[in-house]
Amino acid sequence: MSTIKVIIPAYNEEESIPLVVKAIPEIVDEIIVISNNSTDQTEINAKNAGATVLVEKRKGYGYACLKGMQYISEQENKPDIIVFLDGDYSDYPEELTRIVQPIIENDIDFVVGARVKELREDGSMSGPQIFGNWLATTLMRLFFKSTFTDLGPFRAIKYDKLLGLKMEDKTYGWTVEMQLKALKQKLSYKEIPVNYRNRIGVSKVSGTVKGAIFAGVKILGWIFKYSFK
């Protein structure tokens, strides 16, 4: 039986975080919520829902993910699989069983939940998000012969393979960095179509012009960095 731990970065997600935690299937061994400098009830609500709660004061999606990884690295028993999931309830946590299935049954290294158009709720992804995804995955296809169609945050990866990626991005480039490094290291990967709904609250990235621009610059920066290595 595979050991699975879930890492959930969360910044001011007091309404959504208990819904996310409670919807995660029981096959998961530990749910780790990293409060990324939250100023609301995110931490207490996550704890009451049954999650392990860590605090990362440095703002940034990557900082939060790295904090979760550091916590896991200090545990005696290491997991087989790490799942990353957003704390805004836009993903369907109950689909986690489908995300990890290719790893458990087919020994795939890395699985990305693809937010395909047919399964997306209207308005759940902004125009800049859709364009950014298209541009990033198109460039990955051109430079690396990738078959990725999305930079979806709902993803699962073997723990040892994740460590081998030596992840370093602290902010918006975390997802694309993981996919690029997986390609460079020739990890086996698969996309699973997932449902996607309008998030609870306002997005910190796509909900602001500044966030969308920074995310776009970071994503393109990683792609061009790796295309010339």
Side-chain angles (χ1 to χ4, degrees), residues 165-184:
L165 297 181
K166 296 184 166 48
M167 294 292 293
E168 56 189 276
D169 194 274
K170 311 298 192 301
T171 56
Y172 304 113
W174 177 270
T175 55
V176 76
E177 179 195 1
M178 189 181 294
Q179 282 163 261
L180 287 169
K181 287 183 170 179
L183 291 169
K184 292 289 271 190

PDB file of all heavy atoms in Angstrom, residues 165-184:
ATOM      1  N   LEU A 165      14.234  16.321  -8.439  1.00  0.00           N
ATOM      2  CA  LEU A 165      14.030  17.528  -9.248  1.00  0.00           C
ATOM      3  C   LEU A 165      14.731  18.746  -8.648  1.00  0.00           C
ATOM      4  O   LEU A 165      14.944  19.742  -9.332  1.00  0.00           O
ATOM      5  CB  LEU A 165      12.536  17.835  -9.397  1.00  0.00           C
ATOM      6  CG  LEU A 165      11.676  16.795 -10.119  1.00  0.00           C
ATOM      7  CD1 LEU A 165      10.236  17.272 -10.200  1.00  0.00           C
ATOM      8  CD2 LEU A 165      12.212  16.487 -11.513  1.00  0.00           C
ATOM      9  N   LYS A 166      15.045  18.659  -7.345  1.00  0.00           N
ATOM     10  CA  LYS A 166      15.709  19.790  -6.657  1.00  0.00           C
ATOM     11  C   LYS A 166      14.953  21.100  -6.916  1.00  0.00           C
ATOM     12  O   LYS A 166      15.514  22.071  -7.438  1.00  0.00           O
ATOM     13  CB  LYS A 166      17.184  19.897  -7.066  1.00  0.00           C
ATOM     14  CG  LYS A 166      18.006  18.684  -6.641  1.00  0.00           C
ATOM     15  CD  LYS A 166      19.474  18.854  -6.978  1.00  0.00           C
ATOM     16  CE  LYS A 166      20.354  17.837  -6.291  1.00  0.00           C
ATOM     17  NZ  LYS A 166      19.935  16.444  -6.375  1.00  0.00           N
ATOM     18  N   MET A 167      13.705  21.098  -6.553  1.00  0.00           N
ATOM     19  CA  MET A 167      12.840  22.262  -6.786  1.00  0.00           C
ATOM     20  C   MET A 167      13.363  23.501  -6.073  1.00  0.00           C
ATOM     21  O   MET A 167      13.846  23.428  -4.949  1.00  0.00           O
ATOM     22  CB  MET A 167      11.425  21.944  -6.306  1.00  0.00           C
ATOM     23  CG  MET A 167      10.727  20.847  -7.103  1.00  0.00           C
ATOM     24  SD  MET A 167      10.344  21.341  -8.796  1.00  0.00           S
ATOM     25  CE  MET A 167       9.125  22.616  -8.476  1.00  0.00           C
ATOM     26  N   GLU A 168      13.247  24.649  -6.747  1.00  0.00           N
ATOM     27  CA  GLU A 168      13.797  25.870  -6.168  1.00  0.00           C
ATOM     28  C   GLU A 168      12.933  27.114  -6.326  1.00  0.00           C
ATOM     29  O   GLU A 168      13.144  28.105  -5.636  1.00  0.00           O
ATOM     30  CB  GLU A 168      15.180  26.153  -6.774  1.00  0.00           C
ATOM     31  CG  GLU A 168      15.178  26.239  -8.294  1.00  0.00           C
ATOM     32  CD  GLU A 168      16.580  26.293  -8.885  1.00  0.00           C
ATOM     33  OE1 GLU A 168      17.147  27.399  -8.938  1.00  0.00           O
ATOM     34  OE2 GLU A 168      17.092  25.234  -9.284  1.00  0.00           O
ATOM     35  N   ASP A 169      11.963  27.103  -7.248  1.00  0.00           N
ATOM     36  CA  ASP A 169      11.192  28.327  -7.462  1.00  0.00           C
ATOM     37  C   ASP A 169      10.391  28.690  -6.209  1.00  0.00           C
ATOM     38  O   ASP A 169       9.743  27.840  -5.606  1.00  0.00           O
ATOM     39  CB  ASP A 169      10.229  28.176  -8.647  1.00  0.00           C
ATOM     40  CG  ASP A 169       9.687  29.521  -9.084  1.00  0.00           C
ATOM     41  OD1 ASP A 169       8.681  29.974  -8.503  1.00  0.00           O
ATOM     42  OD2 ASP A 169      10.281  30.137  -9.977  1.00  0.00           O
ATOM     43  N   LYS A 170      10.412  29.962  -5.849  1.00  0.00           N
ATOM     44  CA  LYS A 170       9.773  30.398  -4.611  1.00  0.00           C
ATOM     45  C   LYS A 170       8.372  30.976  -4.831  1.00  0.00           C
ATOM     46  O   LYS A 170       7.630  31.152  -3.885  1.00  0.00           O
ATOM     47  CB  LYS A 170      10.636  31.476  -3.920  1.00  0.00           C
ATOM     48  CG  LYS A 170      12.125  31.135  -3.770  1.00  0.00           C
ATOM     49  CD  LYS A 170      12.346  29.912  -2.903  1.00  0.00           C
ATOM     50  CE  LYS A 170      13.794  29.724  -2.490  1.00  0.00           C
ATOM     51  NZ  LYS A 170      14.751  29.590  -3.593  1.00  0.00           N
ATOM     52  N   THR A 171       8.031  31.283  -6.076  1.00  0.00           N
ATOM     53  CA  THR A 171       6.754  31.983  -6.277  1.00  0.00           C
ATOM     54  C   THR A 171       5.894  31.323  -7.347  1.00  0.00           C
ATOM     55  O   THR A 171       5.461  30.200  -7.200  1.00  0.00           O
ATOM     56  CB  THR A 171       7.022  33.469  -6.610  1.00  0.00           C
ATOM     57  OG1 THR A 171       7.893  33.552  -7.747  1.00  0.00           O
ATOM     58  CG2 THR A 171       7.675  34.190  -5.439  1.00  0.00           C
ATOM     59  N   TYR A 172       5.663  32.030  -8.441  1.00  0.00           N
ATOM     60  CA  TYR A 172       4.676  31.599  -9.433  1.00  0.00           C
ATOM     61  C   TYR A 172       5.159  30.504 -10.381  1.00  0.00           C
ATOM     62  O   TYR A 172       4.353  29.911 -11.088  1.00  0.00           O
ATOM     63  CB  TYR A 172       4.248  32.796 -10.292  1.00  0.00           C
ATOM     64  CG  TYR A 172       3.701  33.973  -9.538  1.00  0.00           C
ATOM     65  CD1 TYR A 172       4.384  35.179  -9.508  1.00  0.00           C
ATOM     66  CD2 TYR A 172       2.477  33.888  -8.874  1.00  0.00           C
ATOM     67  CE1 TYR A 172       3.866  36.275  -8.836  1.00  0.00           C
ATOM     68  CE2 TYR A 172       1.958  34.976  -8.194  1.00  0.00           C
ATOM     69  CZ  TYR A 172       2.658  36.174  -8.185  1.00  0.00           C
ATOM     70  OH  TYR A 172       2.143  37.248  -7.523  1.00  0.00           O
ATOM     71  N   GLY A 173       6.462  30.277 -10.426  1.00  0.00           N
ATOM     72  CA  GLY A 173       6.988  29.348 -11.427  1.00  0.00           C
ATOM     73  C   GLY A 173       7.063  27.894 -10.985  1.00  0.00           C
ATOM     74  O   GLY A 173       7.582  27.048 -11.707  1.00  0.00           O
ATOM     75  N   TRP A 174       6.539  27.589  -9.808  1.00  0.00           N
ATOM     76  CA  TRP A 174       6.670  26.250  -9.218  1.00  0.00           C
ATOM     77  C   TRP A 174       6.152  25.148 -10.147  1.00  0.00           C
ATOM     78  O   TRP A 174       6.823  24.146 -10.373  1.00  0.00           O
ATOM     79  CB  TRP A 174       5.935  26.220  -7.878  1.00  0.00           C
ATOM     80  CG  TRP A 174       5.920  24.889  -7.207  1.00  0.00           C
ATOM     81  CD1 TRP A 174       4.974  23.900  -7.348  1.00  0.00           C
ATOM     82  CD2 TRP A 174       6.899  24.364  -6.303  1.00  0.00           C
ATOM     83  NE1 TRP A 174       5.302  22.808  -6.574  1.00  0.00           N
ATOM     84  CE2 TRP A 174       6.465  23.068  -5.928  1.00  0.00           C
ATOM     85  CE3 TRP A 174       8.087  24.863  -5.751  1.00  0.00           C
ATOM     86  CZ2 TRP A 174       7.193  22.279  -5.035  1.00  0.00           C
ATOM     87  CZ3 TRP A 174       8.794  24.073  -4.867  1.00  0.00           C
ATOM     88  CH2 TRP A 174       8.353  22.800  -4.519  1.00  0.00           C
ATOM     89  N   THR A 175       4.943  25.310 -10.674  1.00  0.00           N
ATOM     90  CA  THR A 175       4.336  24.230 -11.469  1.00  0.00           C
ATOM     91  C   THR A 175       5.111  23.988 -12.757  1.00  0.00           C
ATOM     92  O   THR A 175       5.393  22.846 -13.120  1.00  0.00           O
ATOM     93  CB  THR A 175       2.861  24.523 -11.792  1.00  0.00           C
ATOM     94  OG1 THR A 175       2.760  25.793 -12.427  1.00  0.00           O
ATOM     95  CG2 THR A 175       2.013  24.499 -10.534  1.00  0.00           C
ATOM     96  N   VAL A 176       5.480  25.073 -13.443  1.00  0.00           N
ATOM     97  CA  VAL A 176       6.190  24.903 -14.715  1.00  0.00           C
ATOM     98  C   VAL A 176       7.606  24.382 -14.477  1.00  0.00           C
ATOM     99  O   VAL A 176       8.124  23.574 -15.259  1.00  0.00           O
ATOM    100  CB  VAL A 176       6.188  26.205 -15.551  1.00  0.00           C
ATOM    101  CG1 VAL A 176       7.161  27.243 -15.021  1.00  0.00           C
ATOM    102  CG2 VAL A 176       6.491  25.904 -17.016  1.00  0.00           C
ATOM    103  N   GLU A 177       8.234  24.787 -13.382  1.00  0.00           N
ATOM    104  CA  GLU A 177       9.565  24.265 -13.051  1.00  0.00           C
ATOM    105  C   GLU A 177       9.511  22.745 -12.885  1.00  0.00           C
ATOM    106  O   GLU A 177      10.357  22.010 -13.404  1.00  0.00           O
ATOM    107  CB  GLU A 177      10.102  24.901 -11.764  1.00  0.00           C
ATOM    108  CG  GLU A 177      11.473  24.349 -11.373  1.00  0.00           C
ATOM    109  CD  GLU A 177      11.893  24.655  -9.942  1.00  0.00           C
ATOM    110  OE1 GLU A 177      11.117  25.297  -9.193  1.00  0.00           O
ATOM    111  OE2 GLU A 177      12.999  24.240  -9.553  1.00  0.00           O
ATOM    112  N   MET A 178       8.492  22.274 -12.173  1.00  0.00           N
ATOM    113  CA  MET A 178       8.360  20.834 -11.947  1.00  0.00           C
ATOM    114  C   MET A 178       8.198  20.083 -13.269  1.00  0.00           C
ATOM    115  O   MET A 178       8.834  19.045 -13.498  1.00  0.00           O
ATOM    116  CB  MET A 178       7.164  20.556 -11.028  1.00  0.00           C
ATOM    117  CG  MET A 178       7.078  19.105 -10.569  1.00  0.00           C
ATOM    118  SD  MET A 178       5.629  18.794  -9.510  1.00  0.00           S
ATOM    119  CE  MET A 178       6.038  19.763  -8.071  1.00  0.00           C
ATOM    120  N   GLN A 179       7.374  20.628 -14.154  1.00  0.00           N
ATOM    121  CA  GLN A 179       7.130  19.955 -15.428  1.00  0.00           C
ATOM    122  C   GLN A 179       8.356  19.983 -16.335  1.00  0.00           C
ATOM    123  O   GLN A 179       8.683  18.986 -16.982  1.00  0.00           O
ATOM    124  CB  GLN A 179       5.895  20.559 -16.112  1.00  0.00           C
ATOM    125  CG  GLN A 179       4.604  20.031 -15.499  1.00  0.00           C
ATOM    126  CD  GLN A 179       3.368  20.843 -15.807  1.00  0.00           C
ATOM    127  OE1 GLN A 179       2.936  21.643 -14.989  1.00  0.00           O
ATOM    128  NE2 GLN A 179       2.778  20.642 -16.973  1.00  0.00           N
ATOM    129  N   LEU A 180       9.054  21.102 -16.355  1.00  0.00           N
ATOM    130  CA  LEU A 180      10.265  21.204 -17.177  1.00  0.00           C
ATOM    131  C   LEU A 180      11.354  20.254 -16.680  1.00  0.00           C
ATOM    132  O   LEU A 180      12.012  19.576 -17.478  1.00  0.00           O
ATOM    133  CB  LEU A 180      10.797  22.640 -17.166  1.00  0.00           C
ATOM    134  CG  LEU A 180       9.996  23.653 -17.973  1.00  0.00           C
ATOM    135  CD1 LEU A 180      10.462  25.064 -17.659  1.00  0.00           C
ATOM    136  CD2 LEU A 180      10.136  23.381 -19.468  1.00  0.00           C
ATOM    137  N   LYS A 181      11.535  20.205 -15.373  1.00  0.00           N
ATOM    138  CA  LYS A 181      12.566  19.328 -14.824  1.00  0.00           C
ATOM    139  C   LYS A 181      12.203  17.862 -15.020  1.00  0.00           C
ATOM    140  O   LYS A 181      13.071  17.018 -15.247  1.00  0.00           O
ATOM    141  CB  LYS A 181      12.802  19.654 -13.344  1.00  0.00           C
ATOM    142  CG  LYS A 181      13.551  20.975 -13.154  1.00  0.00           C
ATOM    143  CD  LYS A 181      13.863  21.260 -11.691  1.00  0.00           C
ATOM    144  CE  LYS A 181      14.821  22.438 -11.564  1.00  0.00           C
ATOM    145  NZ  LYS A 181      15.128  22.759 -10.159  1.00  0.00           N
ATOM    146  N   ALA A 182      10.907  17.564 -14.940  1.00  0.00           N
ATOM    147  CA  ALA A 182      10.452  16.182 -15.203  1.00  0.00           C
ATOM    148  C   ALA A 182      10.777  15.797 -16.648  1.00  0.00           C
ATOM    149  O   ALA A 182      11.204  14.669 -16.918  1.00  0.00           O
ATOM    150  CB  ALA A 182       8.953  16.065 -14.945  1.00  0.00           C
ATOM    151  N   LEU A 183      10.592  16.734 -17.561  1.00  0.00           N
ATOM    152  CA  LEU A 183      10.916  16.487 -18.971  1.00  0.00           C
ATOM    153  C   LEU A 183      12.421  16.299 -19.160  1.00  0.00           C
ATOM    154  O   LEU A 183      12.858  15.375 -19.846  1.00  0.00           O
ATOM    155  CB  LEU A 183      10.431  17.646 -19.845  1.00  0.00           C
ATOM    156  CG  LEU A 183       8.917  17.810 -20.001  1.00  0.00           C
ATOM    157  CD1 LEU A 183       8.591  19.154 -20.656  1.00  0.00           C
ATOM    158  CD2 LEU A 183       8.317  16.671 -20.816  1.00  0.00           C
ATOM    159  N   LYS A 184      13.203  17.193 -18.541  1.00  0.00           N
ATOM    160  CA  LYS A 184      14.665  17.130 -18.692  1.00  0.00           C
ATOM    161  C   LYS A 184      15.228  15.826 -18.116  1.00  0.00           C
ATOM    162  O   LYS A 184      16.195  15.277 -18.629  1.00  0.00           O
ATOM    163  CB  LYS A 184      15.326  18.333 -17.994  1.00  0.00           C
ATOM    164  CG  LYS A 184      15.051  19.658 -18.658  1.00  0.00           C
ATOM    165  CD  LYS A 184      15.758  19.820 -19.988  1.00  0.00           C
ATOM    166  CE  LYS A 184      17.117  20.415 -19.831  1.00  0.00           C
ATOM    167  NZ  LYS A 184      17.732  20.787 -21.111  1.00  0.00           N
TER     168      LYS A 184
END
